[in-house]
Amino acid sequence: MDIRVNSNSLPRSSDPVASGDDATTSSNLLHGLNDKPALHTCFLLGIQHCMLSVGGLIGVPLILANEICMPYSEVGYTGRALILNSLFFVFGLMTFLQTTFGTRLPILQGASFTFLPPALALLSLPQNQCPNGPVNDTGHGGSLLYNDTDGALVDGSELWMRRMRQIQGALAVASIVEVILGACGAIGYIMKFIGPLTITTAITLVGISLFNSASGTASTHWGIAFLFRIPYPGQWGVPVVTAAGVVGMLTAVLSGIVGSVGDYYACAQLCSAPPLPKHALNRGITVEGIGCVLAGLIGTGCGTTSYAENIAAIGITRVASRRVLQAAGITFFIFGMLGKVGAVFVLIPDPILGGLFFVTFGMIVSIGLANLKHVDLTSTRNLFVFGFSIFSGMSIPLWLARNRDAINTGSEEADQILNVLIGTPNILGGVIAAFLDNTLPGSQEERGINSWSSDISSRRDVKGCDKSCYDLPFSTNWRYSHHIPILPEYDQKQRKKRSEIHRF
């Protein structure tokens, strides 16, 4: 789940922290960013982070299970467990890579509900709607058969895997854009067009639009999963790429980027670290993009973004060591290969899941609305932008769901793209809010841009470890060796090149 942290509530520390492995932590932290607690301490605190995030992690795949037509049978329960294990596997791996080679901040990588609305819009297309029920009682090999809505006769496994493959292809291809944006350092340009009104609308509509999908599953089948299994790319079949799915997922990817950038700054403040330099921010987005591509190829049903709940936990536990989150990543990675771990979470009863979704989606809405603190709410302009965007983001997708034939361009592919874009509340509302906020006359102060920018820049007075904490764990200098004589002027040029530090 992707939840923003209110920076005004984050604890600050003015005590300096020395950089290096033997850094002394500030009085506000038990373990600083570069500290190396004992191995058993790292894993105990890492498991704590895992347990803290599990509630939000399991929400996305369990909601998605019903929408991709997983039957309430042993086939469906096994599928749910396998997807959960795949999710733990990918997010554990990407947490380790993010904390080691990405931003190198103690940030857990987890599922974001931002990816759920475009997935649901893709699944709402006529060919992806669920069939009424099985057409026989025995099937082939004792399994039930279904007349799928795409015209094929399939069993229960193929029924949901076909739909999952479409989500996989859309997520994997759209996430390549995130990798490119991170590698090219284009994040700063995108942020120029994103203000508090856009963020508030997009996040709020994520929570509001999911109220009707907040349903869970329950099972009593402990033996539904393998004891040990390694998730792998293409385990549900070859991912299917559609233009409609890619365009829809691309908007979710861009929303995830904006949220993660805010998470990076919040985490740096809690860790008594300086604001991220550009190379560290770009590395972080690149790693998240790679994680989303991997999630699409393996088939978790959603992409990976920074998990803000665990950032807030740093302020409570006062443990900011990246080693702890590396241990959490390893723990999730191991969980992903133990089939019975996923089976345990499939056992959660409906009432408990329902309560979890009420809290989760309610928090998403509240945190989205909290961004309005930067905006002048006495301005008629701002009230119009926000109110019109929210109302449009809710009413137009609802109208489209009731009038599936309303969009008819003559091209089936174009119809699908428009249905996914217009049928996804947070995409439609966010685009409308961004357009109106950037075109209607209004001062920077009125729009909340100045307050929002100063909220981020206020973190610059945090004193802690220096910027070397963002350096990679290995040298990024180019080293050359030679065994033959070279001309002095050539050697001088090479020395000049080697004196420059190249950071990615």
Side-chain angles (χ1 to χ4, degrees):
M1 181 177 53
D2 192 19
I3 293 181
R4 303 281 75 77
V5 179
N6 183 354
S7 63
N8 291 336
S9 65
L10 300 176
R12 297 172 182 259
S13 172
S14 58
D15 299 328
V17 181
S19 62
D21 291 339
D22 298 324
T24 33
T25 62
S26 71
S27 59
N28 195 46
L29 294 174
L30 297 176
H31 296 288
L33 182 59
N34 292 324
D35 286 354
K36 298 179 180 179
L39 186 62
H40 68 278
T41 301
C42 285
F43 274 94
L44 285 175
L45 294 172
I47 292 174
Q48 181 184 56
H49 275 280
C50 292
M51 294 300 102
L52 177 65
S53 63
V54 159
L57 284 177
I58 66 175
V60 175
L62 291 184
I63 287 178
L64 201 59
N66 293 329
E67 305 301 327
I68 61 176
C69 312
M70 277 190 172
Y72 283 94
S73 63
E74 186 172 345
V75 170
Y77 297 132
T78 301
R80 288 169 171 83
L82 293 178
I83 289 178
L84 286 174
N85 279 101
S86 299
L87 184 139
F88 292 152
F89 181 87
V90 172
F91 294 156
L93 176 61
M94 298 318 301
T95 296
F96 183 84
L97 293 179
Q98 182 69 274
T99 54
T100 307
F101 305 109
T103 61
R104 289 181 57 76
L105 289 170
I107 298 180
L108 190 80
Q109 299 295 287
S112 173
F113 283 98
T114 304
F115 293 92
L116 197 50
L120 296 179
L122 178 63
L123 294 172
S124 68
L125 296 176
Q127 68 270 22
N128 288 330
Q129 294 181 9
C130 297
N132 293 327
V135 297
N136 70 330
D137 296 327
T138 57
H140 297 292
S143 62
L144 298 177
L145 296 180
Y146 297 80
N147 276 325
D148 203 355
T149 42
D150 68 344
L153 184 65
V154 298
D155 61 15
S157 295
E158 179 61 21
L159 184 69
W160 68 265
M161 287 184 184
R162 179 181 73 80
R163 291 161 175 80
M164 176 61 83
R165 289 195 291 268
Q166 292 194 29
I167 298 174
Q168 287 182 253
L171 178 59
V173 174
S175 300
I176 295 176
V177 176
E178 183 173 7
V179 177
I180 295 174
L181 291 176
C184 296
I187 307 303
Y189 179 77
I190 295 176
M191 294 296 291
K192 293 179 180 180
F193 301 97
I194 306 297
L197 284 172
T198 302
I199 290 179
T200 300
T201 303
I203 295 178
T204 302
L205 282 172
V206 169
I208 294 177
S209 65
L210 293 176
F211 79 95
N212 197 38
S213 302
S215 59
T217 58
S219 169
T220 56
H221 296 278
W222 170 252
I224 61 177
F226 296 104
L227 181 61
F228 183 84
R229 180 180 181 274
I230 300 178
Y232 58 91
Q235 58 184 337
W236 319 131
V238 179
V240 176
V241 179
T242 62
V246 171
V247 173
M249 280 295 177
L250 181 57
T251 58
V253 166
L254 295 177
S255 298
I257 290 175
V258 174
S260 292
V261 170
D263 286 340
Y264 295 162
Y265 284 105
C267 186
Q269 181 185 358
L270 279 175
C271 297
S272 295
L276 279 80
K278 290 182 179 179
H279 63 83
L281 188 149
N282 292 332
R283 285 203 316 259
I285 296 300
T286 302
V287 170
E288 286 197 11
I290 294 173
C292 288
V293 172
L294 184 61
L297 294 176
I298 288 181
T300 63
C302 61
T304 172
T305 59
S306 298
Y307 223 60
E309 295 94 322
N310 292 78
I311 297 175
I314 296 174
I316 299 173
T317 63
R318 294 188 295 159
V319 175
S321 172
R322 68 169 62 91
R323 290 296 180 91
V324 171
L325 269 297
Q326 288 170 340
I330 294 173
T331 301
F332 262 139
F333 184 75
I334 295 173
F335 280 177
M337 293 184 288
L338 300 178
K340 298 304 180 183
V341 174
V344 168
F345 292 107
V346 176
L347 293 171
I348 299 176
D350 286 332
I352 296 178
L353 284 176
L356 170 67
F357 294 144
F358 269 74
V359 173
T360 301
F361 299 154
M363 284 295 293
I364 293 175
V365 173
S366 299
I367 292 173
L369 293 174
N371 287 281
L372 289 175
K373 68 178 181 178
H374 302 290
V375 180
D376 181 7
L377 292 179
T378 64
S379 166
T380 305
R381 171 201 182 273
N382 292 338
L383 294 177
F384 167 74
V385 171
F386 179 65
F388 184 82
S389 302
I390 288 287
F391 193 80
S392 299
M394 289 299 298
S395 59
I396 295 178
L398 181 62
W399 169 81
L400 185 63
R402 295 172 178 173
N403 300 273
R404 283 295 172 189
D405 298 330
I407 297 179
N408 186 7
T409 64
S411 169
E412 183 178 354
E413 191 172 77
D415 291 346
Q416 291 180 359
I417 293 175
L418 292 174
N419 271 286
V420 170
L421 288 178
I422 300 176
T424 307
N426 61 314
I427 294 176
L428 181 64
V431 169
I432 292 175
F435 175 77
L436 294 176
D437 193 34
N438 285 280
T439 54
L440 293 181
S443 66
Q444 297 285 90
E445 187 68 30
E446 182 182 10
R447 296 171 58 196
I449 302 297
N450 291 341
S451 174
W452 192 46
S453 299
S454 63
D455 190 35
I456 294 178
S457 62
S458 66
R459 300 163 188 165
R460 299 180 184 274
D461 62 359
V462 179
K463 297 179 180 179
C465 57
D466 58 33
K467 289 188 177 181
S468 66
C469 64
Y470 297 111
D471 291 347
L472 290 171
F474 50 81
S475 175
T476 55
N477 292 338
W478 290 99
R479 302 295 182 186
Y480 299 93
S481 62
H482 55 80
H483 304 284
I484 58 175
I486 58 176
L487 296 175
E489 59 270 20
Y490 178 79
D491 182 58
Q492 185 177 5
K493 291 180 181 179
Q494 295 303 312
R495 287 177 181 274
K496 184 178 180 180
K497 289 182 180 180
R498 293 196 297 269
S499 66
E500 299 176 356
I501 297 177
H502 299 280
R503 292 190 181 103
F504 173 61

